[in-house]
């Protein structure tokens, strides 16, 4: 029976993981702390480790995992920018992920952020609770007829584009690997990134974080945005240079920012810091803007997505323990 050491777990992870395994199918060791070089030795005795987006699975971590006999790292997320894959290969550790647990979960959260920020629902909700029924400052715009730019038309980007098409928006897209047939059948128009930035009222990021996409939205590209545009990021925080975006917000060039991910989210997101002094000055500044909406990496958080993540993790751990191939498309090579 495989023993899976699961890191950075919250009650909802444990609930869905345990429900996915039949009784006696898997031994679980749940840790609340994150997986890193400092904590990897705690995997001793397990057959696999299960990590999440802010675990730091670098060389030091992987070398310790190899030393304690781990041959399988099962990521319970789609992104894998936090894993030194070349080192894992060198050490003979298989790394799997859950590539498509629910593109709808992330796409629908993206749209929720856009609607909330545009129609000031977050501000209205607070006001009404205080019996302040004034509408001043709550003016939004019709999505219908506006242009949405989707950067990255993979699984999540395509679902997001289709939802925005349903609002009657013009949808433009940029991707080095365009999906021509899909675009034709959904009325989506591909264009170079600079054109997309210049024409979109809303720009939504749906691409992976790689050395090439790090700070894709920087001081120069933020200047290319249409004045007053809304920028949305539910992918990875480091796609955006926070300093550049704060400047654009202060100058009023950027109309709004909706983010579910943040450049320095590690150690902040997923934690209750309500009794502490926030040490991150840029996050503190972002929280002061009326036109910035932040959620703490919750786009994946639906019952369907958690269930699918748990199912794939359990299935892969069981397969690895029996020497069988992993589920198709989940092994990172
Ligand atoms: P995917 O792999 O299906 O699609 C990514 C797309 O980005 C591909 O079509 C690729 O060609 C494109 N791309 C790569 N480089 C690009 C560039 N420089 N410019 C434009 N497009 C580029 O990935 P999927 O499943 O759609 O996920 C997208 C991202 O969403 C993931 O990388 C992950 O970081 C993030 N994510 C966030 C979650 C959250 O809870 N906030 C949950 C799940 C994923």
């Amino acid at each position: 029976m495989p023993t899976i050491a699961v890191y950075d777990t919250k009650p909802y992870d444990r609930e869905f993981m345990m429900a996915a395994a039949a009784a006696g199918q898997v031994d679980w060791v749940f840790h609340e702390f994150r997986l890193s070089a400092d904590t990897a030795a705690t995997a001793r005795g397990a057959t696999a480790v299960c990590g999440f987006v802010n675990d730091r699975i670098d060389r030091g971590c992987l070398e310790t995992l190899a030393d304690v006999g781990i041959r399988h790292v099962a990521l319970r997320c789609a992104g894998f920018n936090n894993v030194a894959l070349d080192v894992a290969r060198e050490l003979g550790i298989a790394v799997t992920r859950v590539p498509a647990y629910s593109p709808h979960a992330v796409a629908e959260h993206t749209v929720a952020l856009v609607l909330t920020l545009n129609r000031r629902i977050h501000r209205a909700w607070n006001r009404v609770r205080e019996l302040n029924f004034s509408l001043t400052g709550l003016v939004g715009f019709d999505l219908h007829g506006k242009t949405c730019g989707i950067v990255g038309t993979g699984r999540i980007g395509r679902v997001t584009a289709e939802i925005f098409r349903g609002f009657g928006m013009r949808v433009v897209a940029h991707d080095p690997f365009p999906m021509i047939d899909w675009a034709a059948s959904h009325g989506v128009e591909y264009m170079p990134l600079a054109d997309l930035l210049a024409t979109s009222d809303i720009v939504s990021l749906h691409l992976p974080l790689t050395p090439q996409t790090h700070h894709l939205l920087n001081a120069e590209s933020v200047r290319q945005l249409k004045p007053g545009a809304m920028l949305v990021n539910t992918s990875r925080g480091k796609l955006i240079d926070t300093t550049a975006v704060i400047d654009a917000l202060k100058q009023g060039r950027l109309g709004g920012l909706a983010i579910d991910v943040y450049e320095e989210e590690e150690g902040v997101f997923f934690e209750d810091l309500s009794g502490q002094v926030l040490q991150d000055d840029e996050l503190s500044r972002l929280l002061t803007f009326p036109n910035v909406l932040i959620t703490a990496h919750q786009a994946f958080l639906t019952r369907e997505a958690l269930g699918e993540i748990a199912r794939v993790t359990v299935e892969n751990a069981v397969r690895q323990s029996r020497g069988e191939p992993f589920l198709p498309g989940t092994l990172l090579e």
Side-chain angles (χ1 to χ4, degrees), residues 52-53 76-81 97-103 105-107 109-110 150-160 173-179 190 193 205-210 212-214 216 233-237 239 259-261 265 270 295-301 305 309:
F52 196 46
V53 293
R76 57 180 192 283
C77 51
F80 51 91
N81 51 281
R97 64 170 179 150
V98 188
Y101 41 85
S102 172
V106 184
H109 189 76
T110 305
I150 301 286
V151 187
T153 51
R155 283 169 281 248
I156 297 169
R158 291 201 299 280
V159 175
T160 309
H174 173 72
D175 195 306
F177 302 98
M179 306 284 286
Y190 279 103
L193 183 62
L205 306 181
H206 300 286
L207 67 164
L209 175 67
T210 64
Q212 293 74 39
T213 63
H214 181 263
L216 183 83
N233 186 9
T234 54
S235 282
R236 283 293 178 267
L239 293 171
I259 52 175
D260 184 53
V261 287
E265 70 181 54
F270 308 118
T295 52
H297 211 135
Q298 71 175 76
F300 71 100
L301 203 64
I309 288 168

Side-chain angles (χ1 to χ4, degrees), residues 148-192:
C148 179
I150 301 286
V151 187
T153 51
R155 283 169 281 248
I156 297 169
R158 291 201 299 280
V159 175
T160 309
E162 290 168 25
I163 299 174
F164 282 128
R165 285 290 290 150
F167 282 110
M169 298 190 81
R170 174 183 176 225
V171 174
V172 300
H174 173 72
D175 195 306
F177 302 98
M179 306 284 286
I180 304 296
D181 292 345
W182 166 81
S185 62
H186 289 89
V188 174
E189 193 187 328
Y190 279 103
M191 55 177 60

